Amino acid sequence: LNGNTTGASPPLPRSDIDTRELRLFCPKMIEDMSRTVRDLLRGLDRAALATALPLPPGGAGLAAWPYASLVLAAVDHDLSPVLLLSDLAEHARAIASDDRVSLLFDGTAGLDQPLTGARVTLLGRAQRTTDERLGQRFLARHPDAAMYAGFKDFHFYRVALERAHLVAGFGKIRWLEAAELLPGPVPAGLAESEAGIVSHMNEDHGDALQLYAQKLLGLPGSDWRMTGIDAEGIDLRRAGQVARLPFDASLASAAEARKVLVALAGRARAA
């Protein structure tokens, strides 16, 4: 958002270690950093969205002002952020003029020294989407948004990621390309089966969800609900609190979900 209107992402700063070299000598480090990014995106339900405000009439030749504010966020299985914005919002007007956006996911809440905690800034392009599955995933994550999601001036947006800048403490500051963020393709059938799995768990296995939260995550409360499942874990929500329960190993297909969820329930009951 520095006045560059060519549409190209800025080059990576030379001060950051070249991840192409890191991949050759420290592949485990690249995967650890990628996993940190995934955990941040999936574990947080809000972000700071930055866009470039449209230039005023007669403003040709001036640089656009960057504008940032809080938004609710969900992420798809491929880590694409999903947003719900009103046409009246400054961000919606800005995206209509310039689709380049930046999102900061901040995982430093509660730390005595916030700058030692992990946070990631995403660069990507935001476009309106009418994909019902994406809308459903967002509303599962943010059920209260259903009150206004149907208004004519509200629309869902999908952000196509280009790169991420992770700051995760001393020696863990890296640029990562979008292709480096996921360990592999989305498991076959999982995105399409997700809504059914979530509904089944909430309606028929609410007791297991409470065990997940209380026994495996050490969280209080007895009205936790499942909001999502992806290859690496499940998302839970209780009122305004969200939680993430990771799997021991990534799912290879949607068919493995039941076995893994049953095993987690067994572990929780034995805890």
Side-chain angles (χ1 to χ4, degrees):
L1 304 181
N2 59 357
N4 171 24
T5 57
T6 65
S9 296
L12 300 183
R14 293 182 62 85
S15 59
D16 286 287
I17 295 177
D18 192 328
T19 56
R20 290 170 295 183
E21 295 179 7
L22 267 178
R23 199 180 306 115
L24 292 175
F25 298 105
C26 304
K28 182 65 166 61
M29 184 181 295
I30 287 289
E31 170 50 28
D32 287 348
M33 291 186 295
S34 298
R35 180 60 189 254
T36 299
V37 172
R38 297 196 299 273
D39 289 345
L40 282 169
L41 300 188
R42 290 167 172 163
L44 296 168
D45 67 345
R46 65 203 67 184
L49 171 64
T51 54
L53 291 177
L55 294 176
L62 299 177
W65 280 99
Y67 171 79
S69 69
L70 179 69
V71 292
L72 300 181
V75 293
D76 197 14
H77 292 262
D78 65 357
L79 295 184
S80 299
V82 181
L83 311 173
L84 177 61
L85 304 175
S86 167
D87 291 342
L88 302 177
E90 296 290 349
H91 284 310
R93 298 172 183 173
I95 290 169
S97 176
D98 184 342
D99 65 358
R100 293 172 302 156
V101 302
S102 178
L103 284 156
L104 170 65
F105 285 80
D106 178 7
T108 67
L111 297 180
D112 291 338
Q113 299 294 331
L115 294 183
T116 65
R119 60 270 194 196
V120 63
T121 299
L122 307 178
L123 302 185
R125 295 180 180 274
Q127 296 288 337
R128 278 191 192 180
T129 177
T130 57
D131 187 328
E132 292 184 5
R133 185 185 62 78
L134 292 182
Q136 188 174 39
R137 194 162 218 270
F138 182 95
L139 293 177
R141 184 71 160 165
H142 302 283
D144 288 348
M147 294 187 295
Y148 51 83
F151 293 174
K152 289 184 178 180
D153 63 304
F154 276 84
H155 303 278
F156 290 104
Y157 289 76
R158 175 184 178 272
V159 179
L161 294 183
E162 296 195 5
R163 62 180 55 151
H165 189 246
L166 173 68
V167 181
F170 180 75
K172 292 183 119 178
I173 303 175
R174 302 288 185 271
W175 280 101
L176 296 163
E177 297 295 332
E180 296 174 305
L181 298 179
L182 285 174
V186 176
L190 185 57
E192 295 77 13
S193 303
E194 180 182 26
I197 295 172
V198 169
S199 176
H200 174 66
M201 291 298 296
N202 285 327
E203 293 176 8
D204 299 332
H205 299 288
D207 57 334
L209 298 179
Q210 311 319 310
L211 288 171
Y212 294 162
Q214 296 166 3
K215 299 295 185 179
L216 300 183
L217 296 176
L219 296 171
S222 59
D223 50 355
W224 289 92
R225 293 181 63 81
M226 184 172 168
T227 64
I229 180 172
D230 56 67
E232 295 182 306
I234 63 172
D235 300 317
L236 302 174
R237 186 173 198 101
R238 175 179 176 263
Q241 184 179 5
V242 295
R244 174 84 177 165
L245 178 61
F247 298 146
D248 292 335
S250 298
L251 302 179
S253 69
E256 294 182 358
R258 182 180 183 279
K259 178 176 66 175
V260 171
L261 293 173
V262 169
L264 285 173
R267 185 196 306 171
R269 290 189 175 95

